[in-house]
Structure formats: C-alpha cells, structure tokens
C-alpha cells in the first residue's frame, strides 16, 4: 500500500503482495498515435487516480504503454507522505532524464501529492519536468500536454471543493481482472499534526453515491469479484441527493454496494477510528460479502502522543472501539498504521505502542518512523527531537512484535476452512493459486482443474507463518 515502507522481512512480504510500485497494463493494443507511460507511488488513492488520468488521456487520443522508452509522455504520480517517498520520486526523475535525452520531444509530467506540495517550484528544481498537475486538476491534463508540446511548461495545482471525477470511468491499469478500487471520496479534513495529506489533497468531499454503485455494477458485469472503496477517511463519507435531499452515510453506501451482487466482495480503506460507527459494524456482520477486515490505524498507543498527533481519540477510547469490533464481528481481522518516534515520544510512551499491538491483535500493520513534513502542524509547533538511531531501534521493536503477533494469530487459523477468492498464480509457483479470505489474509494452495482467477473456493489451512497461510482445497 505504501511503497516506501521501511519494514522488515515478513511484513515486507505482506506489503509486497499488495499492489505497489509501477503501474502496468492489462491489455496493450497498439492503436498508433501518442503513447503515455505512467508510474504510481504512495497510497491506493494514487493508484486509483492514475486510472482516472489514463481514462482522461485515453479520451484525448493517448494510449498507455509499459515501455517507457517508446512513450511520448512519461507521467509519475507522486507521494509526499514521508521524506523517503519524495526521494524515490527524485531518483526516478533522474532515470527519466536519461530516457528523455534519447528521445527529443518527449514530455515528463509530475502528478499527485508532491506536485501539489511543490507546485511551480518543481519546474525550477527539476529542469526536465514539463508539466506539474495536482490531484484535483487532472481534467486539465490534455490541455497542459498540448501547451507543453508547443514549448510552454504548465502548472495546474488548483484544489477543488467539488471535484470527485464522479463521471469518469477509470481505465483499469495493472488489473488482475478480479479486484478493483473505487474512489468514494477525496481530500481530508482531519488535521493530524504529522500529516501532509490535507495540504496535498485539499478539503474532504464525497462522491455521488449512485455513480459509485454504477461503477461497481459495471465492474461486476465485466467479471470483477472484489471492490475496495477508497478514501482517506471512508467512515466520514456523506452524500446528499440534491433532488430528494436524502442523505447517504458510509454504512448505507456499504450496503448499497454489497447489494449489487452477492458474488462481489466489498472492502474499504481507510477507517479513522473516531468515525467508524456501529452501523458500519452491523453492515459487515449482516452481509457475507462485506469482508470481515478493518484497517484501523492507531498511529500511537499512548494518549499524550495521540493528543499531540491531534488524532482526537485517546488510548482507552481506541481500546473500546477494538472491543466493540470483536464483540459485533468476532472473526474480524484488524490492521493498523503505527508511527514511532514522534516528537518528544519517551521510552515509556513507545512501550505503549508495543502494548497496543498486543491488545488489538493486529493481523498486520504498516509501520513507519516519524518523518517531519514541511508545513504540517507538527513541523511548525514541535521539535523533531528523537534521534534517527532511536527511531530506527523503536521501529525494529515494533516490527518484531507485530511479526510475532501475526505469526501467533495466523497459527490460530491452522485447521480452519475459509472461503477464498482466487486472485491468480502464486508468486513462487504456477502450480499454486493465491487468494484471500474475508479477513484479507493471503492463502497459497495447490491448483485444481477447472478453477481459475475470480472463482471462489474453500481452502483448509494446514500451515502458517507471519505473512501467509498455506492450505488445500476441500
Ligand atoms: N488517512 C489514513 C492514512 C493516510 S497516510 C489514516 O488517517 O489512517 C498513511 C499512513 O502514513 C498514516 O496512517 C501514517 O501512519 C503514516 N504517516 C503519515 N504521515 C507520516 C509522517 N509524517 N511520518 C511517518 N509516517 C506518516
Ligand atoms: Fe492524514 Fe489524518 Fe487525514 Fe489520515 S486522517 S490523511 S493521517 S490528516
Ligand atoms: Fe502519499 Fe498523497 Fe497518498 S501523500 S499516501 S499519495 S494521499
């Protein structure tokens, strides 16, 4: 999910299974005409946005290519969440520079959060960049490209209060034909003090619920079996029908999408603990096809640090939320994001982050050390005073504990049988399938004649480690 994640092996493998890195294409017809190549970094929202960009460019006569050297336009959809994410982008730009020198007339465009953060400065800092486009300005891409072809470098980083790209049907990139993402909202109004997202993505706004259901319906018609509803804070989704004035909450939206087809699995990400309601939990409990999995980032296990992070909940409140989830959905898996080494975090407070992992029994976590981001509340108000070695050591402790917990929790699945959606061949062997259970755990199992990606099957788990389960079809 976050591809600058500095985590250790077991966890890394798990992340590796998630979509990340470069975006490639399922089908690549050579229609002639101009070609674009796109790479995406950062969260799933960015990957989803790249599919919107591809669709907009497709309408303008461009076709996608996975061959950078043969493209007329290289795009990089960037992330600013941590310093390392931005360094990765800068490194890629050096590589593009070499390709561009071999191909006169080729254009390079920077999209996404780093484009929004740096704006026009990008053109001054990186001479090879021709266009800079923020997350709300993708409709302007064809015009900006046309301008750049005439030698006018272009920037559009206008942040909108309305844009949701609701009417755009994304061109599915790098798709396995089984799972797809659907953006349901954009932006974020939570001012977590460490976070750059509110500055790069603007104000929170929800997409027309009917267009979301229409997109899910279209995916089902095309054979897709799983959708993940995306937003920085999906539980605060709210949309009002302008004609009837009826309001749709996230719990209602979940049900609307689940009712598209009982064969369609519904997932969602990310849930801010403060906003997830009992109605959402009841929807998960009552609909077999809404997956029993909640990504519920805690960030820290210590109440003082949580306050400083402006997360608006404290530790006891978060623990109660976890209790409530397990009470309503006993076999739910919960995962988390954790930041270690935030400003002024003491050794005792770090131990609270360890103990919350133990308490919540996360199936997995994305774990990071704090990286100060320009312009954020924390950068302006607090000192980034935890030495890098200390941050790294605390991160290692957190990763090791999470690996232990994942291993122990996964071992409890041995002997159980799960309904698994087959995603394709396992990475290691084409004699095996890989797929996920409702809890989002990856299961590897020997193939069986007649079954293919996109089919459901029942798998009994025989073996486990901290990252995957292994089993056989029953
Ligand atoms: N909207 C989601 C998270 C989006 S960013 C949420 O609120 O949960 C993904 C994750 O990156 C965050 O959950 C956080 O753990 C991490 N992150 C954000 N800013 C960071 C920073 N400055 N340093 C390190 N990690 C950060
Ligand atoms: Fe960032 Fe907080 Fe918004 Fe998540 S909820 S995107 S961490 S400001
Ligand atoms: Fe990165 Fe922007 Fe997503 S900063 S994590 S790409 S919202």
């Amino acid at each position: 999910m976050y591809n600058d994640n500095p985590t250790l092996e077991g966890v890394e493998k798990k992340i590796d299974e998630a979509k990340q890195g470069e975006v490639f294409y399922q089908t690549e017809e050579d229609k002639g005409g101009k070609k674009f190549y796109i790479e995406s970094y950062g969260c799933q929202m960015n990957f989803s946005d790249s599919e919107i960009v591809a669709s907009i460019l497709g309408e303008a006569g461009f076709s996608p290519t996975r061959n950078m050297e043969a493209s007329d336009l290289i795009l990089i959809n960037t992330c600013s969440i941590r310093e390392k994410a931005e360094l990765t982008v800068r490194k890629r730009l050096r590589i593009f520079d070499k390709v561009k020198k071999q191909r006169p007339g080729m254009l390079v465009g920077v999209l996404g959060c780093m484009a929004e953060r740096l704006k026009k400065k990008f053109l001054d800092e990186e001479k090879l960049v021709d266009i800079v486009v923020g997350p709300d300005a993708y409709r302007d891409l064809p015009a900006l490209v046309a301008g750049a072809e005439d030698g006018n470098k272009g920037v559009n980083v206008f942040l909108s209060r309305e844009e949701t790209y609701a009417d755009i049907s994304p061109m599915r990139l790098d798709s396995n034909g089984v799972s797809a993402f659907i953006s349901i909202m954009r932006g974020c109004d939570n001012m977590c003090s460490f976070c750059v997202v509110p500055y790069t993505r603007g104000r929170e706004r929800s997409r027309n619920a009917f267009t979301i259901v229409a997109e899910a319906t279209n995916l089902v018609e095309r054979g897709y079996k799983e959708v993940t509803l995306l937003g920085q804070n999906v539980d605060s989704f709210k949309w009002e029908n302008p004609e009837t004035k009826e309001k749709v909450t996230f719990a209602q939206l979940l049900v609307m999408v689940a009712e598209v087809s009982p064969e369609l699995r519904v997932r969602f990400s990310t849930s801010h603990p403060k906003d997830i309601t009992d109605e959402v939990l009841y929807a998960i409990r009552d609909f077999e096809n809404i997956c029993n999995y909640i990504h519920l980032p805690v960030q820290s296990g210590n109440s003082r640090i949580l306050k400083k992070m402006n997360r608006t909940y404290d530790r006891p409140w978060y623990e109660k939320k976890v209790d409530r989830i397990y009470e309503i959905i006993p076999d739910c898996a919960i995962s988390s994001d954790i930041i270690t080494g935030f400003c002024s975090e003491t050794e005792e407070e770090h131990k609270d982050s360890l103990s919350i992992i133990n308490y919540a029994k996360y199936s997995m976590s994305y774990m990071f050390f704090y990286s100060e981001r320009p312009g954020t509340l924390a950068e302006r108000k607090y000192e980034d005073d935890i030495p890098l070695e200390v941050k790294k050591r605390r991160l290692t402790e957190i990763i090791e504990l999470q690996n232990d917990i994942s291993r122990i929790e996964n071992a409890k699945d041995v002997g159980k049988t799960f309904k698994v959606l087959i995603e394709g061949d396992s990475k290691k062997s084409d004699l095996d399938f890989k797929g996920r259970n409702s809890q989002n755990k990856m299961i590897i199992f020997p193939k069986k004649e007649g079954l293919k990606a996109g089919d459901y099957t029942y798998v009994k788990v025989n073996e486990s480690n901290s990252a995957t389960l292994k089993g056989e079809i029953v």
Side-chain angles (χ1 to χ4, degrees):
M1 193 181 337
Y2 316 112
N3 53 11
D4 65 322
N5 196 322
T7 45
L8 296 181
E9 225 207 339
V11 182
E12 199 143 59
K13 264 193 230 131
K14 190 138 212 172
I15 293 160
D16 205 39
E17 300 281 4
K19 282 198 182 143
Q20 54 166 305
E22 298 160 29
V23 170
F24 294 128
Y25 315 107
Q26 189 186 12
T27 50
E28 206 182 316
E29 301 160 49
D30 197 345
K31 295 193 194 121
K34 292 200 181 117
K35 295 198 173 55
F36 70 93
Y37 165 92
I38 187 165
E39 267 179 27
S40 306
Y41 295 86
C43 62
Q44 285 165 338
M45 292 289 295
N46 247 19
F47 284 77
S48 174
D49 280 2
S50 290
E51 300 187 327
I52 288 166
V53 166
S55 173
I56 292 171
L57 286 173
E59 290 288 315
F62 281 80
S63 55
T65 176
R66 64 171 69 183
N67 181 359
M68 189 203 302
E69 279 85 6
S71 67
D72 303 286
L73 170 66
I74 296 184
L75 296 172
I76 181 160
N77 199 351
T78 61
C79 174
S80 285
I81 201 81
R82 287 165 289 274
E83 194 184 7
K84 199 167 164 228
E86 293 204 350
L87 292 175
T88 309
V89 168
R90 302 265 190 195
K91 269 194 219 142
R92 290 304 291 163
L93 288 174
R94 300 281 89 77
I95 308 238
F96 299 163
D97 204 10
K98 289 195 189 118
V99 179
K100 200 181 175 189
K101 287 207 174 86
Q102 308 295 317
R103 233 180 121 76
M106 177 190 254
L107 300 174
V108 172
V110 180
L111 316 175
C113 291
M114 208 176 157
E116 190 63 51
R117 194 178 82 71
L118 290 166
K119 305 186 168 61
K120 201 182 144 302
K121 259 188 6 209
F122 232 120
L123 297 181
D124 308 332
E125 287 175 27
E126 302 278 355
K127 295 291 173 226
L128 86 151
V129 172
D130 301 292
I131 36 186
V132 178
V133 193
D136 287 345
Y138 296 144
R139 288 183 202 265
D140 199 21
L141 246 174
L144 290 165
V145 171
E149 283 169 346
D150 293 338
N152 304 314
K153 296 197 171 200
V155 180
N156 188 344
V157 288
F158 176 74
L159 282 177
S160 158
R161 276 175 176 259
E162 284 96 35
E163 181 64 274
T164 58
Y165 302 108
D167 56 313
I168 292 179
S169 169
M171 182 188 286
R172 301 293 165 188
L173 301 169
D174 189 30
S175 171
N176 59 4
V178 177
S179 315
F181 297 115
I182 302 182
S183 283
I184 63 162
M185 57 200 297
R186 301 183 69 82
C188 184
D189 285 350
N190 296 314
M191 283 291 182
C192 301
S193 62
F194 52 79
C195 186
V196 78
V197 172
Y199 306 93
T200 62
R201 294 257 162 187
R203 297 304 296 269
E204 183 183 292
R205 67 221 97 120
S206 298
R207 178 178 166 187
N208 178 321
F210 296 130
T211 68
I212 297 168
V213 172
E215 194 173 326
T217 308
N218 175 268
L219 286 163
V220 168
E221 283 162 1
R222 288 158 56 200
Y224 282 82
K225 292 294 178 61
E226 184 175 74
V227 292
T228 304
L229 308 181
L230 290 183
Q232 292 301 345
N233 182 12
V234 287
D235 298 270
S236 70
F237 174 92
K238 44 181 160 347
W239 181 73
E240 188 182 284
N241 185 331
E243 275 143 40
T244 62
K245 301 287 167 213
E246 258 177 309
K247 291 187 175 69
V248 179
T249 64
F250 180 60
Q252 288 161 335
L253 179 75
L254 261 183
V255 169
M256 284 161 73
V257 177
E259 282 176 339
V260 166
S261 163
E263 284 282 291
L264 182 72
R265 272 191 173 173
V266 186
R267 300 187 182 277
F268 54 91
S269 187
T270 298
S271 291
H272 193 300
K274 77 175 164 58
D275 292 316
I276 190 164
T277 59
D278 278 359
E279 283 67 40
V280 169
L281 303 181
Y282 294 138
I284 300 174
R285 179 194 64 190
D286 295 341
F287 283 80
E288 191 267 339
N289 59 332
I290 304 180
C291 289
N292 293 358
Y293 171 63
I294 300 174
H295 187 57
L296 196 74
V298 67
Q299 312 299 1
S300 164
N302 176 268
S303 294
R304 187 186 75 90
I305 293 294
L306 284 169
K307 185 151 201 287
K308 229 174 149 148
M309 287 178 159
N310 204 17
R311 286 293 284 184
T312 71
Y313 53 84
D314 59 12
R315 173 160 182 150
W317 196 92
Y318 183 91
E319 287 184 352
K320 273 203 204 104
K321 198 45 97 178
V322 168
D323 295 346
R324 189 81 181 132
I325 293 172
Y326 287 136
E327 183 187 323
I328 297 177
I329 320 155
D331 64 344
C332 195
I334 305 176
S335 61
S336 192
D337 292 349
I338 299 167
I339 299 176
T340 187
F342 187 61
C343 313
S344 80
E345 183 190 67
T346 66
E347 220 42 50
E348 281 309 304
E349 290 166 338
H350 159 60
K351 292 208 171 88
D352 287 341
S353 286
L354 292 170
S355 69
I356 197 78
I357 298 176
N358 242 320
Y359 185 91
K361 304 268 179 273
Y362 297 126
S363 59
M364 58 97 68
S365 295
Y366 297 100
M367 299 156 280
F368 315 96
F369 59 73
Y370 173 59
S371 166
E372 185 176 81
R373 305 315 293 136
T376 56
L377 214 73
E379 188 253 354
R380 285 177 277 137
K381 273 176 71 181
Y382 310 127
E383 200 189 335
D384 179 15
D385 55 357
I386 308 298
L388 188 61
E389 316 83 72
V390 176
K391 285 181 179 172
K392 285 187 172 165
R393 193 252 307 145
R394 288 182 188 169
L395 181 61
T396 306
E397 288 174 16
I398 286 180
I399 292 169
E400 282 172 354
L401 175 66
Q402 178 62 62
N403 277 345
D404 284 347
I405 297 290
S406 300
R407 204 183 48 249
I408 294 166
E409 290 304 303
N410 284 349
K412 292 182 185 163
D413 290 335
V414 173
K416 289 186 194 159
T417 297
F418 294 101
K419 183 175 174 184
V420 171
L421 174 61
I422 304 174
E423 288 177 15
D425 288 359
S426 108
K427 240 194 213 158
K428 286 195 188 131
S429 158
D430 58 8
L431 299 175
D432 291 337
F433 276 137
K434 64 171 181 192
R436 279 167 212 275
N437 63 8
S438 177
Q439 290 74 10
N440 206 36
K441 291 187 184 176
M442 183 64 81
I443 309 189
I444 309 292
F445 51 97
K447 286 185 177 173
K448 194 179 138 190
E449 192 94 22
L451 284 176
K452 56 179 191 318
D455 288 342
Y456 288 102
T457 185
Y458 286 86
V459 178
K460 182 170 177 239
V461 175
N462 301 323
E463 261 180 76
S464 70
N465 59 33
S466 63
T468 36
L469 306 175
K470 282 188 182 161
E472 59 189 342
I473 294 174
V474 289

